Amino acid sequence: MNQIKSDCAREDVGLVEPRANALSGDAPLIVTVSRRVHSHYRRHVTDLPLSGRMVQLLVIARRFRCDAVLCGREIFTERFAEGVLAPSARRTARLESIVHHLGLALGGRPAAGFAKRLLLPVSKDTLLRVVRRRHRPPADPLKVIGIDDWAWRRNHRYASIICNLERRRIVTLLPDREPATAQAWLAAHPTIAIVARDRGGGYGEAAAKALPHAVQVADRWHLMENASRAFLDAVRKSMRQIRSAIGATTIDPKLLTAAERLQYEGYLRREETNATILALSKSGTPIKQIVRQTGHSRKLVRQVIRGERHDVFRTRQSSLDQHLPWLDDQWAAGCRNGAELWRRLRARGFRGSLRVVGEWATRRRQAEKVDVENLHRIPSARTIARLMTVGRDTLSKAETVTVAAIEAGVPTLVEAREIIAEFHLMIRRRAAAELSRWIERARASLVASFARGVTNDEAAVRAAITLPWSNGQTEGQITRLKLVRRQMYGRGKIDLLQARLIGAE
């Protein structure tokens, strides 16, 4: 094309009139050349800005007559060079590429605002249309994939994401997490040899039906996390024995603070509910019938039957936790006034209120009045699980005494801790040969429920120990997907999400 005119009538827009200098045009439907010009028409095309001014090209395009007998068109418009100007386009190819990348990086409204600052006038709807139109799904053959679910709206609606673990790329997004949907997609890709997934049964069932030859790999992080949760459940089941071992079988309400008294009253109400549910269970009543008779949820009934609802005080993290050793030293030195302790803590950088320190001093003062049989407070099940699994050198003297009493009074809990620690070590060392022996030992312990789950999914667990693949990449892509959704204020449809995630790679 030759530039034939430049018009600067507007101060903020530069107008350039290019015109093709070729004497002929190539027909689009048939390989032929025509020299017969039918007419001309003008197209306004936006280009990149120049010297702080927007640039518009006034393209003088020609129409040619087609002399080919077999051609369905009698008249066609000349085509410009590939990578310069597409047919019927209102933006040059280089500007279209920048618009596409802006849409991929920022979405609709933010990209439109940024494009305006760059002197590239384009609307938010146009940006999203360009992202959708230029989306090309990856065509690489799939061998190793990871599949997991992600939340459109937590606890209400979920979808699925599938990643190519070899290329570290997202392959597609599925509109739900139903096994039938995943099975249909997997069946359409028979080249897949390895499927990494979480420990839920839905994706495993879909992969087994669609790709019976494929190796399924359980996610190692979920295995470690599930094992730790199994030990926490074992602690909850053993809370009665733990209270007996520590010596906290009775509680004197007179020695409790107001907040602790409320928790203790709630504990007494829970104990009444637990006794009712356990009585129905011992009489042979099914869980479904117990739910109907009592009106409680199925989850709560199962927790009671499993012995997981015996915490008296639910200990929460406090702003005083990191200052407790210093407070103990001050208390032992004779400083027993809560206000004075608070003032000294403020000098050390403590930003909490006087009430927090005052309540701690009240509890400490009341604890000194308690005899051995009326110990008013023990740690929660979660705290006990943490104390029993961290290193002894990180515990205080009181915590060490508590753990020692639990270990001496509840040996089955110590065995469960050793079994879980052995499972963690087996995964870290990739010692799959020890899995069968571990299952046999765990079946007769407090973590038998976790052992049954490992047995039902033994092939995938063994593959997770021996193979290098895991679902960590997929979890990372889900984090990236959530970031893109937040950029669009959670309003992106699945095709736009897929276009932005895959196009950006």
Side-chain angles (χ1 to χ4, degrees), residues 25 44 61 112 155 186 195 256 281 293 352 369 377 434 494:
H44 287 271
N155 296 328
L186 292 171
V195 178
L256 302 181
S281 176
Q293 291 183 15
K369 302 176 182 179
R377 186 183 184 89
E434 303 175 4
I494 192 167

Side-chain angles (χ1 to χ4, degrees), residues 3 9 93 136 145-146 161 169 201 238 240 243 249 262 349 366 381 387-388 399 417 430 433 447-448 469 475 481 498:
Q3 177 181 323
R136 298 291 182 272
I145 68 164
I161 184 173
R169 299 184 57 178
S238 307
R240 293 186 184 277
R243 281 197 291 272
T249 55
L262 290 175
Q366 291 173 347
L387 295 178
M388 293 187 67
E399 292 172 341
R417 181 187 62 183
R430 303 292 181 89
V447 293
W469 305 107
E475 297 287 352
L481 183 150
Q498 187 167 274

Side-chain angles (χ1 to χ4, degrees), residues 54 74 291 345 412 427 494:
M54 291 186 293
E74 296 182 359
V291 171
L345 269 180
T412 55
I427 293 181
I494 192 167

